[in-house]
Structures are given as structure tokens and as C-alpha cells.
């Protein structure tokens, strides 16, 4: 009958079989932590992964870049879900996608908690030109506008890249309304934003969701 292993021998055995952490492990763990707490502690993250802080920084670049990637991993599938689910064509389809995406963000508990707890940092990640998230968001929206324009379903009166930028800023005005206007974002305000986007794209004003 085998003798009981000492705590040290158990630890050594576990160390042998434990797989090495990877950059993707770091990203997934960081995302899990943020969704649970809306905070990132890189020292704790490195310790949990079993890697040095230097290794972690080599993988992620820095905290801002990591946060941008976490936000993008949430935002991009939200957009593609909306593109798949929304009805309509041309201007109304774009407005419906805009509505569904921003409704999802406004209703996301983790996002609301983050904006409450660390609004200035959140804005710097989500809307600053110095962060890749905002430019990627504009590019993704431009892709949708070009899609509907190329089909002949929309006839924009201005440059599509500019339209895309303005649309993203309108959406941000709803998401950041507490910081800008001192009031919680709500769906009535979002519907006004949808009307603004509709008019910007050359559609007719609507008083109810399409």
C-alpha cells in the first residue's frame, strides 16, 4: 500500500502536471475578473496565472490595451448578433442594429457598474482616439453603412466614414449620459438617438421603434 504523500511532494506533482499559462489564458482570466468585479489587478492576475508581472506585461502590453481588448470582445459579438437578428433594410435596418446594440450596452450590469465606479477611465478606454477600441468601433459601423449603400438601399448625403463617426458619438452620448447630462441613460433617450441617426442617414423621423 503506497505511503501518503507529503504536502511538498503533492505540490511538486501538481506543478509537473499543471499546464503552462498562455496569453489567451491571461485574457480569458482578466475578462472573467472584470465581468465579476469591474476591476483589473495585474499583480493578482499574474499570481493566479503563475507567471511573472514581466511575462504578463509582455503578453498584454499594458492595462489599457488589455481593457480595450476586453471591451472589444464584448462589443463585436453584440454588433454581429444585432446584424443577424434585426429586420428591415437600408436606413431602418441600420437604425434597428444601432438600437439593439446600444440597448444591450445600456442594460449590461457590468458596464453600468464600471461607468459608475470609474467613469473617467471607462470613457478614456471606450471613446478616446488614443485607444484602439473607438477606431475599431467606427470601422465596424462603417462596414455596415457601406454594405447597405452598396446594395442601393441607402443614399448617404455625406462621406460614409464621417457618418459612421457621428453615429458612434451619438450612441456614446446615450451610454455616457450620466457623465454628460447627470442622468441615467434610458430607452426614451435612446429612441431620440435612433431618430437622430435616422435623420442623419436620410430617413424619415419616427416616433416609435421600427
Amino acid at each position: 500500500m503506497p505511503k501518503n504523500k507529503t504536502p511538498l511532494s503533492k505540490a511538486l506533482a501538481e506543478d509537473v502536471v499543471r499546464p503552462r499559462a498562455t496569453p489567451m489564458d491571461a485574457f480569458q482570466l482578466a475578462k472573467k475578473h472584470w465581468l465579476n468585479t469591474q476591476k483589473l489587478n495585474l499583480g493578482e492576475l499574474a499570481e493566479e496565472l503563475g507567471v511573472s508581472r514581466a511575462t504578463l506585461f509582455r503578453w498584454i502590453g499594458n492595462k489599457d490595451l488589455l481593457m480595450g481588448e476586453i471591451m472589444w470582445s464584448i462589443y463585436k459579438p453584440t454588433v454581429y448578433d444585432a446584424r443577424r437578428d434585426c429586420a428591415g433594410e437600408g436606413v431602418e435596418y441600420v437604425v434597428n442594429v444601432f438600437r439593439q446594440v446600444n440597448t444591450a450596452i445600456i442594460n449590461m450590469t457590468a458596464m453600468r457598474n464600471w461607468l459608475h465606479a470609474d467613469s473617467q477611465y471607462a470613457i478614456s478606454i471606450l471613446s478616446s482616439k488614443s485607444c484602439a477600441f473607438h477606431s475599431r468601433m467606427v470601422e465596424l459601423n462603417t462596414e455596415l453603412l457601406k454594405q447597405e449603400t452598396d446594395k442601393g438601399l441607402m443614399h448617404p448625403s455625406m462621406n460614409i466614414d464621417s457618418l459612421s463617426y457621428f453615429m458612434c458619438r451619438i450612441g456614446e452620448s446615450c451610454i455616457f449620459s450620466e457623465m454628460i447630462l447627470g442622468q441615467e441613460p434610458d430607452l426614451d433617450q435612446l429612441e431620440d438617438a435612433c431618430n437622430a441617426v435616422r435623420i442623419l442617414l436620410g430617413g424619415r423621423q419616427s416616433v416609435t421603434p421600427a
Side-chain angles (χ1 to χ4, degrees), residues 98 158 161-171 197 200:
F98 175 88
M158 70 171 72
D161 291 330
S162 296
L163 277 173
S164 180
Y165 174 83
F166 294 143
M167 279 184 63
C168 290
R169 288 305 191 193
I170 290 172
V197 168
L200 188 65

Side-chain angles (χ1 to χ4, degrees), residues 9 13 18 27 29 53 71 98 120-121 126 134 156 166 172-173 190:
S9 64
R18 180 183 180 183
F27 173 76
L29 185 60
R53 287 176 63 93
M71 291 299 102
F98 175 88
Q120 291 303 316
Y121 181 63
L126 295 174
H134 184 264
F166 294 143
E172 288 168 351
S173 72
L190 177 58

Side-chain angles (χ1 to χ4, degrees), residues 58 63 69 79 85-86 96 100 122 144 146 168 171 181 208:
R58 188 172 69 250
K63 181 181 176 181
E69 290 302 323
V79 171
D85 297 341
C86 288
N96 289 341
Q100 181 167 315
L144 176 60
K146 286 183 176 178
C168 290
L181 302 173
T208 57

Side-chain angles (χ1 to χ4, degrees), residues 35-59:
L35 288 170
N36 288 336
T37 68
Q38 290 75 68
K39 295 179 182 178
L40 282 184
N41 185 309
L42 298 187
E44 292 178 0
L45 188 63
E47 184 176 352
E48 190 168 346
L49 290 164
V51 301
S52 68
R53 287 176 63 93
T55 296
L56 181 61
F57 274 92
R58 188 172 69 250
W59 287 349

